[in-house]
Amino acid sequence: MWAATLLFSAFLILFNYLYCVKPRNYPPGPKWLPILGSALSVSRLRKKTGSLAEAMAIFSRKYGPVLGFKFGQERIVICYGGLAIKEFLNTESLNGRPMGPFYELRTFGRNGILLTDEQFWVEQRRFILRHLREFGFGKRNMSEMIEAEADVMVNHIKHLIGNQKEISAPMDTMFGIHILNTIWTMLAGTKYNPEDSNLKYLQNILTELFKNIDMIGTIFSYFPFLIYFAPEYSGYNLYMKTHVPIWKFITQEIEKHKKTHVPGSPRDLIDVYLEMLAAPEKPASFTDDQLLAICLDLFMAGSETTTKSMSFCMLYLLLNPDVQRKAQTEIDMVVGRDRVPSLNDRPNMPYLEAIVMETLRHFMRRTFGVPHRALKDTHLCGHFIPKDTMVIPTFHGIFEGAECMWKDPYAFRPERFIVDGKVKALDMFIPFGMGKRRCLGETLARGNLFIFIGALLQNFDFKVPAGCKPPTTDTVDGVTAAPRPFRVLSHIVQRDPTITHTPAIVINNSLCMIYR
């Protein structure tokens, strides 16, 4: 009896010791507790600051630009600050993607383009980019496609206003379907009505998911046994509740293509991929599950970040009417009001392009990059990074923290990107990352923001009505930061005989959109 007790006690002591001891020269950070690792320290500081990015800023001030954590069995390294992030993103051995249930459940294993790596990722990314270009990606007709969708968006807003006294709509879903249409047209040859109830439902559940998880993962990421013993508490139920209807939606789209696709006459990327699947000597990486996973990645990542960027832009345009006036003057001089701005106008519209860049900077201030994985034992800024360690950059230090290159990081000031009348980005303006893992959708995202913002400012003014408080600039944590939820309320403003158009939209009783 005593021997068994002593043996068990010795086992526990040895287990705790081995669990809590960090690898030699591992990046510094808070102490590791048995089982929990750093989870409790991070949770407490995050709750205190209200933001995971702010918590990492405090840890960085104490421990340095490369931070070492452990959650359950998972080793996690956070890069904070420009020099550390630059070295990290350019280190070949850190270009892997994480493993585990959180990342593998969504695509039936390690499929897709967002969370795959090595030769599989290289082969699939090359194929996707090559064929997306055939359907407009990065070409002149991409601008035409975005322009058409921007025109639909403006007319939809005008229709919502109509002659009614008021119509309420949430800002976080105002642009989502329009942005999704710009990628989905090339991917699936389909455009959806902004009032499509199924797409609105999918957007709502995605918003809920992205609000309740983050780039570091969720509880069941680090303690997988909780999937079976505490599926609700661990976040597993929410995770599956969100993914199942999206899998169904995409599967139905692929099945439609299988029935209507004419071999040799592809209409979009799905058709091209189906032809590859039917090829007698197709590479092993091309499968039905991989096609579904690619569609899922582009559906989720392709709309979520740009939609949130648009929300940030609308928020800051409201709070900075002088920025609106300057942009509208530029639009009137270069484009006029008879057509939507196009990407060909960019060289002549530095201020609008600077608004896009300042929007991206504010969106990225509290955002983490997609997690990487060490493909082998390696080093980062002199610290040892063991194989399979997850490494994640936080852009807080670059765009907001004490070491950022902007004197007034909290202000929305597009002029910071204009030098001698031309747009100029600082060296560490990297909202889309850098290196081989640079965001695949950068061209489309920048194009969407330029044309959509331009079309809105071309047609509407944004004002804070008298007696109303401006909305807060506080953010909501999640996969990416988001403005605090607010709704759009449209109503008819008293008509001024000197102004041709006067309907308005009010956000949180704080924002007027007035026809110009």
Side-chain angles (χ1 to χ4, degrees), residues 217-424:
T218 189
I219 296 175
F220 77 82
S221 309
Y222 317 116
F223 308 101
F225 65 90
L226 292 178
I227 290 174
Y228 308 101
F229 296 101
E232 188 68 32
Y233 171 76
S234 67
Y236 174 75
N237 282 353
L238 174 63
Y239 189 87
M240 296 306 292
K241 177 185 174 183
T242 305
H243 283 82
V244 168
I246 297 176
W247 289 333
K248 180 180 178 182
F249 167 78
I250 295 173
T251 299
Q252 289 173 343
E253 189 67 62
I254 293 172
E255 289 302 316
K256 287 180 190 175
H257 276 69
K258 287 181 178 179
K259 293 176 181 177
T260 59
H261 166 235
V262 177
S265 302
R267 301 158 295 182
D268 46 56
L269 182 64
I270 292 179
D271 275 354
V272 172
Y273 208 94
L274 289 174
E275 292 194 349
M276 175 61 82
L277 291 177
E281 297 182 358
K282 66 178 178 67
S285 65
F286 288 80
T287 64
D288 288 307
D289 282 349
Q290 172 63 3
L291 173 57
L292 177 55
I294 288 170
C295 294
L296 176 69
D297 282 346
L298 296 180
F299 181 91
M300 296 176 76
S303 60
E304 193 262 350
T305 52
T306 309
T307 298
K308 284 185 177 176
S309 296
M310 284 294 298
S311 296
F312 273 109
C313 184
M314 294 299 103
L315 174 66
Y316 281 101
L317 286 176
L318 162 66
L319 299 174
N320 296 274
D322 58 315
V323 173
Q324 295 183 59
R325 300 290 86 78
K326 291 177 182 177
Q328 288 167 336
T329 298
E330 183 180 74
I331 292 169
D332 289 344
M333 290 177 61
V334 176
V335 179
R337 302 191 187 179
D338 295 329
R339 65 174 178 86
V340 174
S342 79
L343 297 183
N344 290 332
D345 297 315
R346 265 178 172 165
N348 302 315
M349 302 180 73
Y351 197 74
L352 182 57
E353 181 67 6
I355 288 177
V356 170
M357 296 170 75
E358 183 71 336
T359 294
L360 290 168
R361 190 184 70 82
H362 276 275
F363 167 67
M364 293 298 294
R365 284 197 294 126
R366 294 189 175 183
T367 296
F368 289 74
V370 178
H372 288 218
R373 174 176 61 91
L375 296 170
K376 61 181 181 180
D377 288 351
T378 189
H379 288 81
L380 177 61
C381 296
H383 296 288
F384 175 61
I385 310 296
K387 183 177 184 289
D388 291 331
T389 298
M390 191 189 304
V391 188
I392 310 170
T394 171
F395 295 96
H396 180 278
I398 295 175
F399 295 114
E400 175 181 330
E403 72 164 60
C404 77
M405 299 178 180
W406 291 279
K407 294 180 180 179
D408 48 356
Y410 301 103
F412 189 86
R413 193 169 60 81
E415 290 84 358
R416 71 176 82 245
F417 291 105
I418 298 179
V419 178
D420 297 329
K422 295 182 179 180
V423 174
K424 183 177 181 180

Side-chain angles (χ1 to χ4, degrees), residues 68-141:
F69 301 94
K70 191 175 187 181
F71 294 77
Q73 292 294 320
E74 188 80 58
R75 291 185 300 269
I76 297 177
V77 169
I78 301 292
C79 288
Y80 185 95
L83 294 178
I85 289 177
K86 209 167 186 179
E87 181 177 330
F88 156 59
L89 293 177
N90 286 299
T91 300
E92 185 80 19
S93 56
L94 292 174
N95 271 340
R97 288 301 196 203
M99 299 182 291
F102 181 79
Y103 303 99
E104 295 172 10
L105 278 171
R106 63 187 293 276
T107 55
F108 328 107
R110 303 200 71 206
N111 290 303
I113 189 69
L114 184 64
L115 294 170
T116 52
D117 52 38
E118 300 191 270
Q119 188 56 36
F120 182 97
W121 171 76
V122 171
E123 189 171 71
Q124 291 291 311
R125 186 179 189 275
R126 185 182 297 126
F127 180 89
I128 292 167
L129 273 177
R130 182 171 74 250
H131 291 290
L132 277 179
R133 289 191 185 103
E134 293 178 10
F135 301 105
F137 186 78
K139 295 185 176 180
R140 178 174 294 182
N141 51 340

